[in-house]
Amino acid sequence: MTGSDADRLSYWGVVRGQFKKNRPAVWGLWCAVGLFVFATGAPLLALDQPFFWHTSEETGFPFFAALFNRLQFENGVDIFFNLLLVLSPLYAGFVLWRRRMGGLGLRAATGLVAFHMLATVLVVPASWLGVSNPFHREAPIVDFRGQEAELLASGQSVTAIFPPRRIHYRETNPERSVQAPGRTFWLGTDLEGRDVLVRMLYGTRISLTIGVVAVAIYVLIGVVLGALAGYFGGWVDVVVSRLVEVMICIPSFFLILTLVALVQDRSIFHVMVIIGITSWTGVARLVRAEFLQQRELEYTLAARALGLPGWRVIFRHILPNAMGPVLVSATFGIASAILTESGLAFLGLGDLSVPSWGGTLNAGRLEMKLWLILAPGLAIFFVVSVFNLVGEGLRDALDPKLRT
């Protein structure tokens, strides 16, 4: 039997084959990938710093320096995606090399993600335990558009290559406040004169990050607590079950509103953590039920008979076989987290410094402007629908009764 045949006959190979038969789910997956690509490449489409700048006195590439200028991009989410944009050729080369060597593999993919997270942690903070971070850069923002106009007006030569939209998502101009969609601003402007199209583009970063990070937090909490309750049973199961019941009794959105209201200087990371620590109950119940079933099967009894420690039986043997329902719940959870963040931003309880779709939607409600309502509303609807399609496809692929 060849490696490819063994892969097709493996459990996840069968799941992958069933998922590919679901065309709406495959379409949703490609749309999700496209959203991540757009989020990563947002500065390539809209930024007020040129890729290349040449005059009689200087030549440079301001675009790349601007990607890590904290006065240009003050939010850690932007730094994460900008770093991904810069390192994407390196990552693509690594993936192609691994595929030629026999496949990327889960460990290699996990290592790649861990490397990027570590690189982000090294770049974002202003200091490490009181020591100044050499990667943290703050430099005055140069108005290259104004310089270009002045040089051309004075008859001097200048060569400047800008992104298609020469504008930053935070750039304000009261003179163009609440302009309707037109040739210059395709989706109009908001109350502060900011380009809605550009803010929608960068808002994709916020929505995807909220969904992925918040879900990762509550999946981690739910998996650990559910695994402990299902494997050990007894008083551990009783304590975890009572804790789950208490959390379920409290309406999650109102609990999130309460916790967010208690935070004075809210950031997007506060919102992620709050959503994460209040939404783990469903995952915990799923994992507990799977562990109650799996712990009595032959392979678990054999692992115990061999004298393997409990943590190894839990995380190396039972958990991989209990992750199917968790993946489905996580996929639906991304859509739910995006809706929650948009709702918080709509109510004015989100991070006001980020281009959240919910904030734009709230501006449309206040100004009673249709374009400020339709653009973010349709974007939220599209993203939520995409992840729901992927979740339904995973659910059907993991269900043996629906396999054909």
Side-chain angles (χ1 to χ4, degrees):
M1 181 182 295
T2 63
S4 59
D5 293 334
D7 180 68
R8 283 194 296 267
L9 293 176
S10 67
Y11 173 72
W12 290 109
V14 173
V15 171
R16 183 164 55 250
Q18 291 296 317
F19 184 85
K20 289 181 179 179
K21 295 179 181 179
N22 190 329
R23 291 187 177 181
V26 173
W27 179 83
L29 180 61
W30 279 111
C31 287
V33 172
L35 287 170
F36 275 99
V37 171
F38 270 106
T40 303
L44 298 175
L45 301 174
L47 193 62
D48 56 356
Q49 302 293 299
F51 298 116
F52 177 71
W53 176 262
H54 173 72
T55 65
S56 58
E57 298 180 354
E58 61 176 332
T59 300
F61 304 89
F63 175 84
F64 299 99
L67 293 178
F68 302 102
N69 185 357
R70 298 312 297 272
L71 299 182
Q72 190 88 26
F73 293 101
E74 64 178 356
N75 196 278
V77 173
D78 284 323
I79 300 299
F80 174 88
F81 279 100
N82 291 346
L83 186 62
L84 180 59
L85 175 64
V86 172
L87 296 179
S88 56
L90 176 64
Y91 294 159
F94 175 77
V95 171
L96 292 176
W97 174 73
R98 290 292 303 184
R99 288 180 65 87
R100 292 188 62 182
M101 296 297 293
L104 182 61
L106 181 60
R107 288 187 178 181
T110 304
L112 199 62
V113 174
F115 172 80
H116 189 75
M117 295 299 296
L118 177 61
T120 305
V121 169
L122 293 177
V123 172
V124 168
S127 62
W128 305 319
L129 301 177
V131 180
S132 179
N133 181 3
F135 300 106
H136 186 90
R137 179 176 181 273
E138 292 185 0
I141 301 174
V142 180
D143 183 12
F144 286 98
R145 293 174 303 175
Q147 288 188 12
E148 181 187 28
E150 292 177 1
L151 290 172
L152 292 176
S154 63
Q156 301 183 44
S157 63
V158 56
T159 302
I161 303 176
F162 283 87
R165 297 291 294 173
R166 303 184 178 191
I167 191 169
H168 194 273
Y169 69 83
R170 292 189 303 171
E171 181 178 324
T172 61
N173 188 345
E175 295 181 358
R176 61 180 187 227
S177 177
V178 197
Q179 287 188 8
R183 295 179 60 183
T184 304
F185 300 102
W186 295 356
L187 294 181
T189 63
D190 61 10
L191 181 63
E192 299 180 25
R194 297 173 297 193
D195 190 335
V196 174
L197 176 61
V198 175
R199 290 184 65 80
M200 293 294 299
L201 178 63
Y202 279 90
T204 307
R205 294 179 163 192
I206 303 302
S207 295
L208 294 179
T209 306
I210 281 285
V212 173
V213 174
V215 167
I217 292 172
Y218 79 65
V219 164
L220 178 62
I221 298 173
V223 164
V224 171
L225 293 180
L228 294 176
Y231 182 78
F232 291 107
W235 68 268
V236 178
D237 187 18
V238 171
V239 171
V240 173
S241 298
R242 299 295 84 78
L243 181 60
V244 169
E245 291 171 0
V246 170
M247 292 293 294
I248 290 177
C249 289
I250 305 174
S252 59
F253 191 73
F254 291 104
L255 178 60
I256 292 171
L257 288 177
T258 303
L259 294 177
V260 169
L262 294 176
V263 179
Q264 293 184 352
D265 298 326
R266 289 186 299 273
S267 71
I268 197 65
F269 297 101
H270 288 129
V271 178
M272 296 177 194
V273 172
I274 290 172
I275 294 175
I277 63 177
T278 56
S279 308
W280 54 269
T281 54
V283 174
R285 297 176 73 183
L286 282 174
V287 174
R288 174 184 175 274
E290 288 291 323
F291 266 72
L292 289 174
Q293 177 185 7
Q294 299 284 339
R295 73 177 184 179
E296 303 299 332
L297 298 182
E298 289 80 0
Y299 78 92
T300 306
L301 299 177
R304 289 178 179 174
L306 291 173
L308 297 180
W311 68 267
R312 186 176 179 86
V313 176
I314 292 174
F315 295 105
R316 293 294 299 274
H317 294 272
I318 302 180
L319 186 58
N321 295 296
M323 286 302 293
V326 175
L327 291 177
V328 177
S329 176
T331 307
F332 285 116
I334 292 176
S336 177
I338 292 173
L339 277 176
T340 301
E341 187 277 331
S342 299
L344 292 174
F346 179 80
L347 295 174
L349 295 175
D351 186 350
L352 300 179
S353 67
V354 301
S356 172
W357 293 344
T360 305
L361 191 63
N362 184 42
R365 178 187 66 85
L366 295 175
E367 297 298 320
M368 298 299 292
K369 300 299 181 182
L370 186 60
W371 66 85
L372 292 177
I373 297 175
L374 286 180
L378 292 175
I380 295 170
F381 172 78
F382 175 75
V383 175
V384 170
S385 299
V386 162
F387 283 103
N388 281 337
L389 286 174
V390 176
E392 290 177 359
L394 276 176
R395 181 189 60 195
D396 295 345
L398 289 166
D399 191 345
K401 299 178 182 179
L402 299 177
R403 293 178 185 168
T404 57

